Amino acid sequence: MVRALGVTRFPGYGRGFAPVGSRIKTETDTVAKWGNWHCGENKERFTGDWKAKTSSTLEPYFEGDAVRIVVIGDEVFQISLDGKDWKKSIHDDSACITDADHELVEDTKVIANHFGLEVVANDYVVGPTGKYLLEVNHIPNVTRFPEIWESYSKKVAEWCS
């Protein structure tokens, strides 16, 4: 993610890292993430005093709509992520494929090209103060939506031949 923030048009600022056991004090909404699964899990939103139970990345909480841009070869999908609280996920029943935001698609393609990825899914927040890259998923979920699974299956068949 650190390397992707140097490439994206939508980095946001105030990212950081908290080693296990460290204490953080912030006056602004902050999100701590740990592990490699953030779909509504392994993250916590806080303001004020916070102690890291595990080593965590830190980012500002960005208000807005969460979307995922999926690029599989030449095909592009945008998913509106959803959830019952501030934690948005591809796995929520109301997550759906929507019209793609051209700027986010171009940004995702720049990041994919930079890292040599033919398959990538970037998560962004689109809010009143701007657009912000949250995650680069080099092994994205391709099973949640049949359209994406079909595109991915074709790409794998292409790789195999």
Side-chain angles (χ1 to χ4, degrees):
M1 184 63 189
V2 171
R3 291 176 54 208
L5 290 172
V7 179
T8 182
R9 285 181 49 203
F10 309 109
Y13 297 97
R15 310 293 176 108
F17 179 78
V20 65
S22 62
R23 293 191 102 38
I24 305 294
K25 184 170 180 146
T26 178
E27 295 179 12
T28 58
D29 262 351
T30 301
V31 176
K33 295 179 180 179
W34 54 89
N36 60 1
W37 180 260
H38 304 139
C39 290
E41 299 177 30
N42 296 335
K43 59 184 171 184
E44 183 178 345
R45 183 174 163 189
F46 67 94
T47 305
D49 253 347
W50 180 80
K51 183 176 180 181
K53 297 173 196 119
T54 184
S55 295
S56 306
T57 60
L58 304 173
E59 64 190 30
Y61 172 74
F62 299 111
E63 189 66 46
D65 297 323
V67 299
R68 174 171 287 183
I69 302 294
V70 180
V71 174
I72 301 172
D74 294 329
E75 292 194 75
V76 174
F77 304 90
Q78 178 170 311
I79 302 168
S80 175
L81 306 177
D82 213 342
K84 296 179 183 23
D85 58 16
W86 67 274
K87 299 176 190 173
K88 305 305 180 202
S89 171
I90 189 175
H91 299 288
D92 190 86
D93 288 341
S94 52
C96 61
I97 293 179
T98 61
D99 292 336
D101 177 311
H102 177 71
E103 288 183 319
L104 299 182
V105 169
E106 289 309 308
D107 192 62
T108 299
K109 287 180 177 182
V110 166
I111 291 168
N113 288 336
H114 180 79
F115 292 109
L117 302 172
E118 291 186 64
V119 176
V120 66
N122 288 357
D123 293 349
Y124 295 89
V125 166
V126 179
T129 60
K131 298 175 183 179
Y132 306 97
L133 176 67
L134 297 180
E135 290 182 11
V136 176
N137 298 285
H138 68 285
I139 304 174
N141 182 306
V142 295
T143 60
R144 172 72 171 78
F145 296 96
E147 307 93 311
I148 295 174
W149 174 248
E150 182 179 330
S151 176
Y152 181 74
S153 296
K154 286 180 186 174
K155 178 53 74 178
V156 170
E158 178 186 307
W159 289 335
C160 291
S161 64

